[in-house]
């Protein structure tokens, strides 16, 4: 819920730099590059140049994150799935109650 209200520009910049670094690290071989090209062509119908992808990542701001979270996360009913022992899983109503904050 903190992302909906108090994400900072510093955190967003750090996350963008980390994402760009991971993205470039993943393209270090021909197999990974071919996989990336195939995925982009299947999902988008074209290959996005690295410069365009970087500019799209750079366009994300703290306000963008907050707006997205308010629209898609804040006060929404979560879908919940679990595998294995579920005795330690919190009650659904408790999880649902955590999806909003009462602000004064």
């Amino acid at each position: 819920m903190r992302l909906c209200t108090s994400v900072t520009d510093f955190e967003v910049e750090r996350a963008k730099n980390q994402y760009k670094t991971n993205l470039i690290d993943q393209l270090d071989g021909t197999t990974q590059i071919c996989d990336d090209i195939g995925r982009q062509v299947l999902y988008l119908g074209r290959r996005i140049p690295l410069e365009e992808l970087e500019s799209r990542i750079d366009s994300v701001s703290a306000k963008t994150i907050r707006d997205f979270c308010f629209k898609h996360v804040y006060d929404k009913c979560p879908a919940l799935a679990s595998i294995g022992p579920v005795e330690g899983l919190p009650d659904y109503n408790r999880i649902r109650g955590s999806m909003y904050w009462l602000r004064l």
Side-chain angles (χ1 to χ4, degrees), residues 2 31 41 51 57 74 90 104:
R2 195 180 71 72
T31 303
V41 169
E51 297 80 21
I57 294 168
Y74 186 80
L104 301 175

Side-chain angles (χ1 to χ4, degrees), residues 78-86 89 92 95:
L80 186 63
S82 180
I83 297 175
V86 295
L89 189 67
Y92 178 81
I95 295 171

Side-chain angles (χ1 to χ4, degrees), residues 3 26 32 34 40 43 45-46 49 54-55 57 59-60 62 69 77 89 98 100:
L3 286 177
Q26 289 176 358
Q32 293 87 350
C34 289
Q40 287 184 14
Y43 291 142
R46 69 182 181 99
E54 187 174 344
S55 69
I57 294 168
S59 70
V60 174
C69 286
C77 294
L89 189 67
S98 304
Y100 67 92

Side-chain angles (χ1 to χ4, degrees), residues 8-78:
T8 65
D9 290 325
F10 175 76
E11 291 171 321
V12 173
E13 286 301 318
R14 192 179 85 214
K16 290 191 304 188
N17 289 334
Q18 185 177 8
Y19 181 66
K20 288 189 281 189
T21 301
N22 288 339
L23 190 64
I24 291 170
D25 283 346
Q26 289 176 358
L27 301 176
D28 65 349
T30 55
T31 303
Q32 293 87 350
I33 292 172
C34 289
D35 183 54
D36 183 57
I37 291 170
R39 185 176 20 262
Q40 287 184 14
V41 169
L42 281 174
Y43 291 142
L44 305 170
R46 69 182 181 99
R47 171 106 195 267
I48 297 177
L50 199 55
E51 297 80 21
E52 181 182 345
L53 191 56
E54 187 174 344
S55 69
R56 286 183 179 195
I57 294 168
D58 287 336
S59 70
V60 174
S61 67
K63 182 178 179 346
T64 309
I65 300 293
R66 283 191 299 271
D67 291 346
F68 177 86
C69 286
F70 267 114
K71 183 176 181 182
H72 297 288
V73 176
Y74 186 80
D75 201 23
K76 302 290 186 214
C77 294

